[in-house]
């Protein structure tokens, strides 16, 4: 065991700080970039309905489970399993989370870097007068370049490292308490603007009116994968944050509130994007390009569009930053507690290793485009293998551990704060983590691996 002094662990200072940090982790590119295009490709309102059901029935219980493990153990994900299940291989679940953290941080920070390029382009008027073909070419030229994507990655990574270096309370909690309200304000302004565009109603109808005939096996599985990614569950981020939460915090309430904020932001992002997409006659199923190609096109046709473009890409960058810090914290907590490094040494080690992985990911269409693993470039490999394999597998093992291999009494004690809170939901929660969640997650996992097809 390491010589780390666990009495000196940092922690969150307030309930609001916990919500800001955890919601900051959940709300990110997943809500504003990924959710709208996945919804656009998978049936609009029908997808939203399935997504809602999954967040309530599986997302929230899995999030509660991670918080329970983290706060019970007061350790990083690897140390947590070592403490709760001594001399058993469960710590490998934590280790898998740390590996996933490295991979997610690499491709996610690369996309976050793109948002900086788009902020820069907005400021210099780079989109002005461009057709959608030209905007698409512009995106390709940027992505295949060998310097700019890497440069923006490095800048975004350093911002992430700077905050994490400040610690849990003075870095993460303090910064997210400022950034999260900012994000809400920008998003609401964007929604108001979008809703006042002519023809906005069609976009809203697409988002909110479920067409039940569009619900297929794929819709359900895409919704489940999106829920995992969006809520930041399945890789120990919330075990790590949970370990910094005070013993008096109501973990179930925290999980519900964080999930509701995450859901609300995804819906708001849809409200900001789809009316604009329809008002300008663009297909809602434009895929990943929706954010980086379609939106700049829309912005420049709007009055005051450049201001909105600037707001939008700042929004994306801020949302991404409150998420990247949570992923880096997983790595730093692991390094400090398991290897007994100082926070400074851990942040430096984490950042340097991320430079190698992340620069490779950000140059996946440029200098590193010849590097293919299983036929995928580095970015796509990291993106697919985390969302489709590591997160579902991690989530599955986390609920199986709590549901089948950890004393129920301890789980109940943790959720009820040793009996101080009523936990009337406990029977339902237990059924979900023992049966419903494992079965449902196993299905996504097998689908992600291509072992079953619907
Ligand atoms: N939840 C983040 C988003 O929706 O953008 C992404 C993410 C953050 C995934 C942290 C996993 C994680 F641990």
């Amino acid at each position: 065991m390491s010589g780390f002094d666990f009495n000196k662990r940092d922690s969150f200072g307030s309930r609001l700080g916990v919500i800001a940090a955890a919601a900051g982790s959940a709300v990110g590119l997943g809500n504003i970039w990924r959710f709208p295009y996945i919804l656009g490709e998978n049936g609009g309102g029908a997808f939203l309905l399935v997504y809602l059901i999954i967040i309530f029935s599986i997302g929230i219980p899995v999030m509660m489970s991670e918080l329970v493990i983290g706060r019970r153990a007061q350790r990083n994900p690897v140390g947590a399993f070592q403490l709760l299940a001594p001399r058993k291989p469960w710590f490998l679940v934590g280790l898998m989370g740390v590996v996933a953290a490295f991979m997610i941080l690499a491709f996610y920070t690369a996309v976050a870097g793109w948002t900086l390029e788009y902020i820069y382009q907005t400021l210099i008027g780079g989109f002005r007068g461009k057709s959608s073909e030209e905007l698409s070419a512009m995106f390709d030229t940027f992505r295949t370049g060998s310097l700019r994507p890497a440069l923006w990655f490095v800048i975004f990574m350093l911002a992430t490292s700077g905050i994490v270096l400040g610690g849990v309370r003075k870095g993460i909690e303090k910064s997210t308490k400022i950034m999260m309200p900012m994000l809400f304000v920008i998003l609401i302004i964007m929604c108001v603007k979008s809703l006042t565009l002519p023809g906005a109603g069609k976009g809203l109808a697409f988002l909110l009116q479920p067409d039940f005939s569009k619900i297929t096996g794929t819709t359900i599985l895409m919704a489940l994968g999106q829920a995992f990614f969006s809520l930041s569950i399945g890789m120990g981020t919330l075990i790590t944050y949970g370990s910094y939460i005070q013993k008096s915090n109501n973990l179930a309430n925290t999980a519900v509130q964080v999930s509701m904020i995450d859901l609300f932001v995804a819906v708001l992002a849809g409200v900001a994007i789809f009316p604009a997409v329809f008002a300008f006659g663009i297909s809602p199923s434009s895929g990943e390009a929706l954010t980086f190609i379609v939106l700049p096109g829309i912005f420049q046709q709007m009055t005051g569009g450049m201001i909105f473009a600037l707001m939008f890409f700042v929004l994306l960058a801020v949302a991404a930053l409150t998420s990247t810090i949570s992923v880096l914290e997983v790595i730093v907590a692991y390094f400090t507690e398991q290897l007994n490094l100082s926070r400074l040494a851990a942040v430096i080690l984490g950042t340097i290793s991320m430079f190698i992985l992340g620069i490779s990911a950000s140059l996946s269409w440029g200098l590193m485009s010849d590097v293919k693993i299983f036929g995928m470039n580095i970015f796509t490999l990291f993106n697919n293998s985390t969302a489709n394999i590591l997160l579902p597998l991690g989530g599955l093992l986390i609920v199986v551990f709590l549901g089948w291999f950890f004393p129920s009494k301890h789980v109940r004690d943790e959720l009820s704060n040793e009996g101080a809170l009523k936990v009337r939901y406990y029977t339902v929660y237990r059924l979900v983590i023992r049966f419903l969640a494992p079965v449902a997650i196993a299905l996504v996992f097998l689908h992600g691996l291509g072992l079953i097809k619907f």
Side-chain angles (χ1 to χ4, degrees):
M1 283 304 268
S2 78
F4 181 82
D5 183 356
F6 286 97
N7 295 319
K8 293 217 182 97
R9 277 181 113 250
D10 206 347
S11 66
F12 290 121
S14 67
R15 247 185 64 74
L16 188 70
V18 171
I19 300 287
S25 173
V27 172
L29 297 169
N31 305 60
I32 303 165
W33 163 67
R34 199 172 189 272
F35 176 80
Y37 88 74
I38 297 275
L39 178 134
E41 287 177 335
N42 290 282
F47 178 89
L48 182 59
L49 184 71
V50 176
Y51 186 74
L52 276 173
I53 295 171
I54 289 173
I55 295 280
F56 282 99
S57 62
I58 298 168
I60 294 174
V62 174
M63 189 182 285
M64 284 163 63
S65 306
E66 282 203 33
L67 294 176
V68 162
I69 293 176
R71 192 176 66 176
R72 187 84 191 165
Q74 315 255 306
R75 296 280 191 282
N76 69 87
V78 176
F81 280 105
Q82 281 175 341
L83 191 80
L84 301 183
R87 291 176 304 280
K88 298 265 165 53
W90 286 104
F91 71 95
L92 292 171
V93 179
L95 207 56
M96 196 173 81
V98 176
V99 171
F102 274 105
M103 292 163 70
I104 289 192
L105 202 52
F107 84 86
Y108 194 89
T109 312
V111 180
W114 302 351
T115 67
L116 298 183
E117 165 76 12
Y118 274 64
I119 291 173
Y120 170 73
Q121 288 297 341
T122 310
L123 289 174
I124 62 163
F127 307 126
R128 205 161 287 152
K130 290 213 163 63
S131 66
S132 51
E133 290 75 40
E134 285 168 324
L135 286 169
S136 161
M138 194 176 146
F139 182 57
D140 279 342
T141 311
F142 163 66
R143 237 184 6 172
T144 51
S146 289
L147 184 65
R148 299 173 80 88
L151 194 69
W152 290 125
F153 165 84
V154 168
I155 293 172
F156 205 95
M157 191 62 222
L158 288 177
T160 305
S161 307
I163 295 175
V164 172
L165 186 60
V168 176
R169 196 174 297 198
K170 297 212 178 88
I172 296 174
E173 181 172 347
K174 212 168 150 195
S175 65
T176 50
K177 267 161 84 177
I178 300 168
M179 289 192 280
M180 290 307 285
M182 189 173 140
L183 188 146
F184 268 104
V185 173
I186 302 181
L187 194 53
I188 290 179
I189 297 175
M190 298 273 319
C191 286
V192 172
K193 172 72 188 173
S194 194
L195 287 173
T196 53
L197 290 172
K202 261 201 205 150
L204 269 193
F206 176 75
L207 179 68
L208 300 176
Q209 274 177 9
D211 170 358
F212 291 98
S213 69
K214 293 242 176 73
I215 300 180
T216 63
T218 313
T219 319
I220 298 171
L221 296 173
M222 293 302 285
L224 195 52
Q226 174 61 23
F228 261 73
F229 188 79
S230 191
L231 294 176
S232 302
I233 51 183
M235 53 162 281
T237 301
L238 290 160
I239 294 181
T240 309
Y241 273 13
S243 76
Y244 302 133
I245 297 180
Q246 306 90 326
K247 288 286 182 193
S248 59
N249 188 290
N250 183 335
L251 293 182
N253 274 356
T254 299
V256 171
Q257 284 162 5
V258 170
S259 304
M260 289 307 98
I261 293 173
D262 189 66
L263 181 64
F264 186 57
V265 172
V267 173
L268 282 186
V271 170
I273 289 172
F274 287 111
V277 166
F278 278 84
F280 291 102
I282 286 153
S283 161
S285 57
S286 305
E288 299 98 329
L290 204 61
T291 301
F292 290 100
I293 299 173
V294 174
L295 285 183
I298 294 176
F299 286 133
Q300 57 168 323
Q301 296 174 48
M302 287 170 25
T303 17
M306 285 306 128
I307 305 277
F308 287 99
L310 191 63
M311 276 205 276
F312 180 77
F313 289 112
V314 168
L315 168 74
L316 265 184
V318 169
L321 187 58
T322 57
S323 298
T324 51
I325 56 180
S326 71
V327 188
L328 183 60
E329 181 60 29
V330 174
I331 296 170
V332 166
Y334 170 72
F335 282 163
T336 51
E337 296 174 14
Q338 301 299 120
L339 310 181
N340 198 20
L341 296 181
S342 68
R343 182 164 271 265
L344 176 65
V347 170
I348 292 176
L349 184 61
T351 307
I352 291 176
S353 11
M354 281 318 301
F355 279 168
I356 300 166
L357 287 176
I359 290 175
S360 311
S362 60
L363 295 180
S364 289
W365 289 268
L367 218 53
M368 304 290 281
S369 60
D370 289 338
V371 181
K372 292 266 156 70
I373 302 160
F374 305 118
M376 290 177 271
N377 67 26
I378 298 167
F379 180 100
T380 311
L381 177 80
F382 287 176
N383 186 354
N384 289 355
S385 55
T386 49
N388 296 342
I389 301 173
L390 294 181
L391 296 192
L393 186 58
L396 174 69
L397 292 170
I398 284 165
V399 284
V400 166
F401 172 71
L402 270 200
W404 297 91
F405 294 91
F406 192 66
S408 174
K409 181 182 174 312
H410 292 340
V411 178
R412 201 188 171 108
D413 282 349
E414 204 53 45
L415 285 170
S416 69
N417 295 350
E418 311 294 327
L421 302 170
K422 284 218 171 66
V423 285
R424 260 175 260 128
Y425 57 79
Y426 189 74
T427 317
V428 179
Y429 164 76
R430 191 152 175 83
L431 283 175
V432 170
I433 64 166
R434 279 166 78 89
F435 302 103
L436 178 71
V439 171
I441 299 165
L443 288 178
V444 188
F445 178 54
L446 295 174
H447 184 266
L449 281 182
L451 295 181
I452 47 168
K453 271 266 168 288
F454 287 83

